[in-house]
């Protein structure tokens, strides 16, 4: 099962969702603001992505700036970062696409094409 974590008002999320729909990809959509992924789910996503946890932060977001995270991230442990991400979906880079093994952060059409073709 494919899960798309999105913020419905986000233009980039709508592009990702539209791409999946136009390519007949079945997926479950979760509003990451109303229902942020839990810490254990985020830990799994980070581990499966082979990315640094810092890449999961929406660094251009208002919430990231309000919390002055640019300065604070270096002082936090991986666990603290994941716990923080799980408290507020607006902190998470979006959209986030997950199929149980692969993770795609953000929307780049080429990455989505690779994701879709790797599943066939």
């Amino acid at each position: 099962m494919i899960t798309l974590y999105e913020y419905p008002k986000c233009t980039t999320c709508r592009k990702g969702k539209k791409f999946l729909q136009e390519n007949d990809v079945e997926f479950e959509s979760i509003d990451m603001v109303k229902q942020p992924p839990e810490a254990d789910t985020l830990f799994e996503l980070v581990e499966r992505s082979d990315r640094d946890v810092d890449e999961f932060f929406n660094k251009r977001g208002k919430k990231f700036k309000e919390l002055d995270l640019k300065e604070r991230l270096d002082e936090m442990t991986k666990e603290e970062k994941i716990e923080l991400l799980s408290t507020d979906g607006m902190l998470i880079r979006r959209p986030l696409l997950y199929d149980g093994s692969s993770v795609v952060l953000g929307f780049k059409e080429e990455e989505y094409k690779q994701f879709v073709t790797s599943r066939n």
Side-chain angles (χ1 to χ4, degrees):
M1 181 61 175
I2 297 173
T3 305
L4 177 71
Y5 293 95
E6 62 158 341
Y7 176 47
K9 294 179 181 177
C10 166
T11 306
T12 310
C13 294
R14 288 195 290 245
K15 288 177 186 174
K17 190 173 192 173
K18 183 179 178 190
F19 179 89
L20 295 174
Q21 291 167 335
E22 287 175 349
N23 287 276
D24 298 321
V25 176
E26 287 187 34
F27 63 94
E28 173 189 17
S29 179
I30 296 177
D31 183 331
M32 66 196 323
V33 176
K34 289 182 181 172
Q35 188 182 345
E38 294 182 14
D40 51 348
T41 302
L42 283 163
F43 188 82
E44 180 182 331
L45 291 166
V46 171
E47 290 301 303
R48 298 225 186 239
S49 74
D50 291 328
R51 292 177 181 246
D52 188 280
V53 67
D54 289 7
E55 292 181 57
F56 280 76
F57 280 89
N58 175 12
K59 294 180 180 164
R60 291 191 218 153
K62 185 175 163 186
K63 193 75 167 184
F64 185 87
K65 292 172 184 162
E66 282 174 5
L67 295 173
D68 198 29
L69 290 174
K70 184 177 183 183
E71 304 301 321
R72 295 179 42 215
L73 281 184
D74 290 341
E75 301 163 6
M76 298 171 72
T77 66
K78 181 178 184 177
E79 290 74 19
E80 289 171 331
K81 292 173 186 181
I82 288 173
E83 191 60 45
L84 180 60
L85 285 168
S86 74
T87 65
D88 190 333
M90 293 302 277
L91 288 173
I92 303 171
R93 188 170 160 199
R94 56 186 185 254
L96 197 157
L97 190 60
Y98 182 55
D99 69 356
S101 61
S102 299
V103 177
V104 179
L105 272 177
F107 174 72
K108 290 189 177 132
E109 192 168 328
E110 277 308 308
E111 288 180 12
Y112 269 55
K113 282 180 184 174
Q114 286 178 340
F115 180 87
V116 169
T117 53
S118 70
R119 301 187 48 79
N120 295 332

